[in-house]
Amino acid sequence: MSDNKQENAAEHPVLAEFLSTVKPEQVLWALQDKDSEDWVVLASVNFEETDVMPVWSTEQLAGQHCIDEWQDYQPAQISVSDWLEFWIEDLNEDGIIIGVNWPVEGDCLELELADFSQAIAAIEDLA
C-alpha cells in the first residue's frame, strides 16, 4: 500500500514539477530568518493541529514569500543529500509535514514527510 501511495504522490503535477526542477541542481529551498537562522514553519492549511514546512524548487519561488510576516527571512538552499541525512529525523520528531512549492495564493500541496522524502530520495544523484 505504501508503494501505491508514493506513486500517487509522485504523480501529483505540483510534486512532479518540483522534482524535475530540483533533480539537476540537487537543491531545494526554504525560508530562513536572517538573524536567528530559524526556518519558516507554520500551521497547515489542510490539517488541523499540524505544522508544515514550505519548500520550493527554486530560489526565485521561495523569494516571492519574503514579504509581510516573512520579510525578515531569506531563501536558503538545502541540498538533497543534507535533506536525506539530517532533516528527516528532526522534522519527523516534530511531526512536521511538507508544503511543496507553496503558492502565494491558492491551494497548497501538503505531503507527509515520508512521502516527500521518498520522492526526494528517488531523484538523489549519487554520482
Side-chain angles (χ1 to χ4, degrees):
M1 182 167 157
S2 177
D3 287 341
N4 289 341
K5 187 175 180 183
Q6 180 194 356
E7 285 177 16
N8 292 341
E11 291 172 8
H12 192 285
V14 171
L15 181 60
E17 182 180 332
F18 177 91
L19 294 171
S20 69
T21 303
V22 168
K23 184 174 183 173
E25 298 297 321
Q26 294 287 297
V27 295
L28 50 122
W29 296 84
L31 297 183
Q32 188 175 37
D33 187 280
K34 296 172 188 172
D35 297 322
S36 71
E37 298 187 1
D38 289 339
W39 298 88
V40 167
V41 174
L42 65 153
S44 168
V45 295
N46 297 315
F47 304 101
E48 288 185 25
E49 298 183 26
T50 302
D51 287 333
V52 60
M53 179 179 182
V55 296
W56 294 271
S57 56
T58 68
E59 182 178 13
Q60 179 185 9
L61 287 175
Q64 293 175 358
H65 298 271
C66 295
I67 56 171
D68 301 329
E69 71 269 21
W70 294 347
Q71 66 185 359
D72 293 331
Y73 289 80
Q74 61 191 7
Q77 71 178 25
I78 303 167
S79 71
V80 167
S81 59
D82 280 356
W83 180 270
L84 296 171
E85 188 172 347
F86 303 112
W87 284 78
I88 296 172
E89 185 176 346
D90 288 343
L91 293 173
N92 191 46
E93 286 175 6
D94 293 337
I96 293 176
I97 63 174
I98 305 302
V100 180
N101 273 351
W102 197 271
V104 174
E105 293 181 5
D107 293 336
C108 304
L109 173 63
E110 296 178 343
L111 295 176
E112 293 291 331
L113 179 61
D115 293 338
F116 176 77
S117 296
Q118 283 179 338
I120 288 292
I123 65 159
E124 184 180 21
D125 184 0
L126 300 173

